[in-house]
Amino acid sequence: MRFVAYASFTMASISAIEMIWLIHFIVQCEIMEQGKNVSLKNFFTPFSTILLIMIFFQVGLYVSEGSGIFLGDQRTSNLYHVVYSLEHLCATATEICYVFYSYLRAEPIFDQVFPSTSKLFSVIVKASPLLFAVQWIPYPLSKLQYSNPQIPKTLITIGDIISAINGSLLVAFDIVCLTVFIKYIRSTEITDGETDARFLIISRHGIASVVICLTSLCMYIVYSVSGGFELWAFIVYVLFSILFMVLVRMKVMLHRDKLEKEKNRRSRIQGVQRDTNRLIVKDESPEIGNASSDTVQDPAGISLKVDV
């Protein structure tokens, strides 16, 4: 199990580097290169904030898992209880960030594909943090001292049941998202009209993220059935790291699409300006042989314009 602990600390370092890179991308590409002022308002946009929170808790997830493995022989100590609770807290926060980020990005597509139920789905998504928070509460409570030794086991069982319910809701969320993304991509293949490249980027990356999330949920089931074998938990966390990279790639591709559209818009404006300038020059140039002048030729062969 020491191997899993070292691997967890390695992944924590990689996640920290990803967080630094994300901060650099936000500041350099999304703020400074766009001519914006570097301020908290421009930095902490909804999408950037969710991704930063997600990667922050992923670092904590790997650190707490690795520390918990090293403290495995001190399961009755307060330090182990704190680490154990932090691991579940970080996992819960990561799930919440995934749900919120996925929905916020896909909300315009939801409105197009399922306009009648989009508002109801929005309410459910906004209420999801409360559901996920409830699943975390029994775990730290189970580590307190009780006169009845059966209480901690009952609390853990309650936490596991709530986690299973939330897992089912997460699967339902993923299936709905997958359906929306596939329907939208198929609709673009059927219709001949111009499609929004942003929606295609969101749909394709959304399908990839849903598949990864469903795979991680399957691995978590294996982890629970195996009696808490830490290797399976590590695999689940790695899958969520891959999921994070897919969401970041979506952000980068959307940024590039925005720059490409801005470049095309400027090219069209410059083209219109050039055409306008040509028309102005043509209108202002003197005309030869118009109706208000007669041209005669002198005996020396030189053409002379005589105003009438």
Side-chain angles (χ1 to χ4, degrees), residues 116-248:
S116 59
T117 58
S118 60
K119 290 185 178 179
L120 175 62
F121 198 74
S122 174
V123 172
I124 295 174
V125 170
K126 291 176 181 178
S128 62
L130 179 61
L131 299 175
F132 284 107
V134 170
Q135 85 177 21
W136 172 75
I137 294 175
Y139 293 106
L141 291 179
S142 67
K143 301 304 177 183
L144 299 178
Q145 297 295 326
Y146 296 96
S147 57
N148 187 349
Q150 191 63 30
I151 293 179
K153 296 180 181 180
T154 303
L155 288 171
I156 292 177
T157 302
I158 293 174
D160 292 340
I161 293 173
I162 298 175
S163 297
I165 295 173
N166 287 341
S168 301
L169 294 175
L170 193 57
V171 170
F173 172 80
D174 285 334
I175 291 174
V176 172
C177 290
L178 189 62
T179 303
V180 169
F181 295 143
I182 291 176
K183 284 178 68 71
Y184 179 80
I185 290 178
R186 285 182 177 176
S187 68
T188 61
E189 295 173 351
I190 296 174
T191 58
D192 296 329
E194 184 179 355
T195 59
D196 194 329
R198 296 176 306 156
F199 289 173
L200 286 176
I201 292 171
I202 293 171
S203 297
R204 288 165 181 164
H205 287 79
I207 290 173
S209 63
V210 166
V211 171
I212 294 171
C213 185
L214 290 175
T215 305
S216 68
L217 289 173
C218 292
M219 292 296 102
Y220 185 79
I221 293 174
V222 174
Y223 165 72
S224 301
V225 173
S226 66
F229 188 52
E230 289 296 334
L231 178 60
W232 293 112
F234 175 74
I235 293 174
V236 172
Y237 300 157
V238 170
L239 287 171
F240 262 90
S241 292
I242 297 173
L243 173 63
F244 171 79
M245 288 188 284
V246 171
L247 297 180
V248 171

